[in-house]
Amino acid sequence: FIVVSDPIIAKYILRENAKAYDKGVLAEILAPIMGKGLIPADPETWRVRRRAIVPGFHKAWYNAMCKTFVECNGPLVSKLEQACKTGEIVNMETEFCSVSLDIIGKAVFNFNFGSVTTESPVIKAVYCALKEAEHRSITPLPYWNLPFANILVPRLRRFNEDLKLLDNVLNELISNALATQNKQDVEELEKRNYDEM
Protein backbone atom coordinates (compact mmCIF):
# COMPACT_ATOMS: atom_id res chain seq x y z
CA PHE A 1 0.00 0.00 0.00
CA ILE A 2 1.10 3.57 -0.64
CA VAL A 3 -0.14 6.41 1.56
CA VAL A 4 -0.57 9.77 -0.16
CA SER A 5 -0.90 12.93 1.90
CA ASP A 6 0.02 15.66 -0.59
CA PRO A 7 -3.25 17.38 -1.64
CA ILE A 8 -2.10 17.96 -5.22
CA ILE A 9 -1.20 14.29 -5.70
CA ALA A 10 -4.43 13.19 -3.97
CA LYS A 11 -6.45 15.42 -6.32
CA TYR A 12 -4.60 13.97 -9.32
CA ILE A 13 -5.27 10.39 -8.19
CA LEU A 14 -8.88 10.89 -7.12
CA ARG A 15 -10.17 13.34 -9.72
CA GLU A 16 -7.92 13.80 -12.71
CA ASN A 17 -6.64 10.25 -13.20
CA ALA A 18 -9.04 8.09 -11.17
CA LYS A 19 -9.57 5.53 -13.94
CA ALA A 20 -5.90 4.56 -13.78
CA TYR A 21 -6.35 3.21 -10.25
CA ASP A 22 -8.58 0.53 -8.81
CA LYS A 23 -9.36 -0.53 -5.29
CA GLY A 24 -7.65 -3.85 -5.88
CA VAL A 25 -7.46 -6.34 -3.07
CA LEU A 26 -8.98 -3.86 -0.59
CA ALA A 27 -12.36 -3.93 -2.36
CA GLU A 28 -12.27 -7.73 -2.50
CA ILE A 29 -11.35 -8.03 1.17
CA LEU A 30 -13.98 -5.53 2.34
CA ALA A 31 -16.82 -6.83 0.15
CA PRO A 32 -18.05 -9.42 2.71
CA ILE A 33 -17.96 -6.76 5.43
CA MET A 34 -19.24 -3.71 3.57
CA GLY A 35 -21.15 -5.17 0.64
CA LYS A 36 -21.24 -2.57 -2.13
CA GLY A 37 -20.69 0.39 0.20
CA LEU A 38 -18.70 3.42 -0.93
CA ILE A 39 -15.29 1.87 -0.30
CA PRO A 40 -15.61 -1.48 -2.13
CA ALA A 41 -18.20 -0.30 -4.69
CA ASP A 42 -17.51 -0.56 -8.39
CA PRO A 43 -17.09 2.82 -10.15
CA GLU A 44 -20.69 3.07 -11.41
CA THR A 45 -22.26 2.20 -8.03
CA TRP A 46 -19.84 4.59 -6.32
CA ARG A 47 -20.73 7.44 -8.71
CA VAL A 48 -24.48 7.09 -8.11
CA ARG A 49 -24.13 6.84 -4.32
CA ARG A 50 -21.60 9.65 -4.10
CA ARG A 51 -23.96 11.97 -5.98
CA ALA A 52 -26.72 11.07 -3.52
CA ILE A 53 -24.71 11.93 -0.39
CA VAL A 54 -22.76 14.99 -1.54
CA PRO A 55 -25.51 17.51 -0.67
CA GLY A 56 -25.23 16.53 2.98
CA PHE A 57 -21.57 17.56 3.13
CA HIS A 58 -21.56 21.30 3.77
CA LYS A 59 -19.91 23.65 6.26
CA ALA A 60 -22.59 23.44 8.97
CA TRP A 61 -22.47 19.65 8.84
CA TYR A 62 -18.66 19.58 8.94
CA ASN A 63 -18.69 21.89 11.98
CA ALA A 64 -21.21 19.62 13.71
CA MET A 65 -19.11 16.55 12.91
CA CYS A 66 -15.99 18.18 14.38
CA LYS A 67 -17.98 18.78 17.55
CA THR A 68 -19.19 15.16 17.48
CA PHE A 69 -15.59 13.92 17.16
CA VAL A 70 -14.59 15.98 20.20
CA GLU A 71 -17.60 14.84 22.25
CA CYS A 72 -17.07 11.16 21.39
CA ASN A 73 -13.39 11.42 22.30
CA GLY A 74 -14.20 12.92 25.73
CA PRO A 75 -14.75 9.55 27.45
CA LEU A 76 -11.58 8.17 25.86
CA VAL A 77 -9.53 11.14 27.05
CA SER A 78 -10.91 10.65 30.59
CA LYS A 79 -10.15 6.93 30.42
CA LEU A 80 -6.57 7.62 29.29
CA GLU A 81 -6.04 10.27 31.97
CA GLN A 82 -7.19 7.76 34.61
CA ALA A 83 -4.89 5.09 33.14
CA CYS A 84 -1.96 7.54 33.39
CA LYS A 85 -2.69 8.10 37.07
CA THR A 86 -2.96 4.40 37.90
CA GLY A 87 -0.30 3.11 35.52
CA GLU A 88 -2.84 0.89 33.77
CA ILE A 89 -1.80 -0.42 30.34
CA VAL A 90 -4.35 0.45 27.66
CA ASN A 91 -4.76 -1.33 24.31
CA MET A 92 -4.95 1.70 22.03
CA GLU A 93 -5.99 -0.30 18.98
CA THR A 94 -9.11 -1.45 20.84
CA GLU A 95 -9.77 2.04 22.19
CA PHE A 96 -9.44 3.66 18.76
CA CYS A 97 -11.80 1.02 17.33
CA SER A 98 -14.28 1.77 20.14
CA VAL A 99 -14.20 5.54 19.71
CA SER A 100 -14.52 5.12 15.94
CA LEU A 101 -17.69 3.08 16.45
CA ASP A 102 -19.04 5.75 18.79
CA ILE A 103 -18.32 8.47 16.22
CA ILE A 104 -19.92 6.51 13.37
CA GLY A 105 -22.93 5.66 15.52
CA LYS A 106 -23.51 9.28 16.48
CA ALA A 107 -22.63 10.83 13.10
CA VAL A 108 -24.53 8.42 10.85
CA PHE A 109 -27.37 7.09 13.02
CA ASN A 110 -27.60 9.60 15.89
CA PHE A 111 -27.04 6.59 18.18
CA ASN A 112 -24.66 6.39 21.11
CA PHE A 113 -22.96 2.99 21.32
CA GLY A 114 -21.00 4.10 24.38
CA SER A 115 -18.39 1.52 23.47
CA VAL A 116 -15.47 3.44 25.02
CA THR A 117 -17.01 3.10 28.47
CA THR A 118 -19.00 -0.13 28.10
CA GLU A 119 -17.79 -3.44 26.70
CA SER A 120 -19.95 -4.10 23.68
CA PRO A 121 -20.47 -7.26 21.60
CA VAL A 122 -20.76 -4.92 18.62
CA ILE A 123 -17.27 -3.52 19.12
CA LYS A 124 -15.89 -7.04 19.54
CA ALA A 125 -17.56 -8.06 16.27
CA VAL A 126 -16.21 -4.97 14.47
CA TYR A 127 -12.72 -5.59 15.83
CA CYS A 128 -12.80 -9.28 14.80
CA ALA A 129 -14.14 -8.41 11.33
CA LEU A 130 -11.32 -5.89 10.84
CA LYS A 131 -8.78 -8.46 12.03
CA GLU A 132 -10.18 -10.92 9.49
CA ALA A 133 -9.87 -8.27 6.76
CA GLU A 134 -6.26 -7.69 7.80
CA HIS A 135 -5.62 -11.45 7.78
CA ARG A 136 -7.09 -11.75 4.29
CA SER A 137 -4.91 -8.92 3.01
CA ILE A 138 -1.75 -10.85 3.83
CA THR A 139 -2.91 -14.40 3.02
CA PRO A 140 -1.79 -15.45 -0.46
CA LEU A 141 -4.42 -18.18 -0.94
CA PRO A 142 -8.05 -17.09 -0.49
CA TYR A 143 -9.09 -20.30 1.29
CA TRP A 144 -12.27 -18.55 2.52
CA ASN A 145 -13.66 -18.91 -1.03
CA LEU A 146 -13.31 -22.70 -1.00
CA PRO A 147 -16.52 -24.75 -0.74
CA PHE A 148 -17.48 -25.50 2.88
CA ALA A 149 -14.63 -23.38 4.29
CA ASN A 150 -17.17 -21.19 6.10
CA ILE A 151 -18.47 -24.28 7.86
CA LEU A 152 -15.22 -26.14 8.53
CA VAL A 153 -12.80 -23.36 9.52
CA PRO A 154 -13.46 -22.04 13.07
CA ARG A 155 -12.05 -18.61 12.24
CA LEU A 156 -14.50 -18.25 9.33
CA ARG A 157 -17.44 -19.48 11.40
CA ARG A 158 -16.64 -16.76 13.95
CA PHE A 159 -16.27 -14.17 11.18
CA ASN A 160 -19.70 -15.07 9.78
CA GLU A 161 -21.25 -14.91 13.25
CA ASP A 162 -19.71 -11.45 13.73
CA LEU A 163 -21.03 -10.30 10.33
CA LYS A 164 -24.50 -11.55 11.23
CA LEU A 165 -24.42 -9.57 14.49
CA LEU A 166 -23.22 -6.45 12.68
CA ASP A 167 -25.84 -6.85 9.95
CA ASN A 168 -28.59 -7.17 12.55
CA VAL A 169 -27.44 -4.05 14.42
CA LEU A 170 -27.05 -2.04 11.21
CA ASN A 171 -30.43 -3.16 9.87
CA GLU A 172 -32.07 -2.06 13.13
CA LEU A 173 -30.30 1.31 13.05
CA ILE A 174 -31.21 1.83 9.39
CA SER A 175 -34.84 0.93 10.08
CA ASN A 176 -34.94 3.42 12.95
CA ALA A 177 -33.34 6.11 10.79
CA LEU A 178 -35.80 5.49 7.94
CA ALA A 179 -38.76 5.57 10.31
CA THR A 180 -37.71 8.97 11.66
CA GLN A 181 -36.31 10.50 8.48
CA ASN A 182 -37.16 14.04 7.53
CA LYS A 183 -36.40 14.77 3.88
CA GLN A 184 -34.97 18.24 3.25
CA ASP A 185 -33.36 20.03 0.36
CA VAL A 186 -29.78 21.32 0.45
CA GLU A 187 -30.77 24.82 1.56
CA GLU A 188 -32.73 23.44 4.53
CA LEU A 189 -29.81 21.15 5.44
CA GLU A 190 -27.42 24.11 5.44
CA LYS A 191 -29.74 26.14 7.70
CA ARG A 192 -30.38 23.27 10.14
CA ASN A 193 -29.20 23.69 13.72
CA TYR A 194 -27.09 20.58 14.16
CA ASP A 195 -26.58 21.32 17.87
CA GLU A 196 -30.24 20.41 18.43
CA MET A 197 -30.15 17.02 16.76
Side-chain angles (χ1 to χ4, degrees), residues 112-193:
N112 184 7
F113 283 104
S115 59
V116 170
T117 54
T118 308
E119 192 161 325
S120 162
V122 174
I123 197 64
K124 284 183 178 180
V126 168
Y127 188 73
C128 289
L130 292 174
K131 283 295 196 188
E132 178 63 21
E134 179 183 30
H135 171 74
R136 290 179 180 200
S137 73
I138 59 172
T139 303
L141 176 68
Y143 64 88
W144 49 88
N145 290 332
L146 296 173
F148 304 109
N150 287 318
I151 297 167
L152 300 173
V153 179
R155 152 186 217 113
L156 295 178
R157 284 197 310 264
R158 170 71 193 266
F159 175 65
N160 288 317
E161 289 168 10
D162 289 336
L163 285 184
K164 186 175 180 180
L165 171 69
L166 295 173
D167 282 345
N168 290 340
V169 169
L170 282 173
N171 286 335
E172 183 179 341
L173 290 171
I174 291 167
S175 292
N176 290 342
L178 289 173
T180 61
Q181 75 178 334
N182 181 9
K183 293 185 181 182
Q184 296 177 321
D185 64 22
V186 176
E187 191 174 314
E188 290 172 315
L189 288 171
E190 290 173 350
K191 290 178 181 177
R192 174 188 269 173
N193 183 351

Side-chain angles (χ1 to χ4, degrees), residues 60-76 99-113 116 194-197:
W61 185 83
Y62 282 126
N63 290 339
M65 289 305 101
C66 288
K67 185 177 177 185
T68 297
F69 277 48
V70 170
E71 289 171 356
C72 289
N73 275 285
L76 178 57
V99 78
S100 297
L101 180 65
D102 288 350
I103 291 167
I104 292 167
K106 193 68 178 157
V108 178
F109 301 106
N110 199 23
F111 182 82
N112 184 7
F113 283 104
V116 170
Y194 288 92
D195 291 333
E196 295 178 3
M197 289 184 62

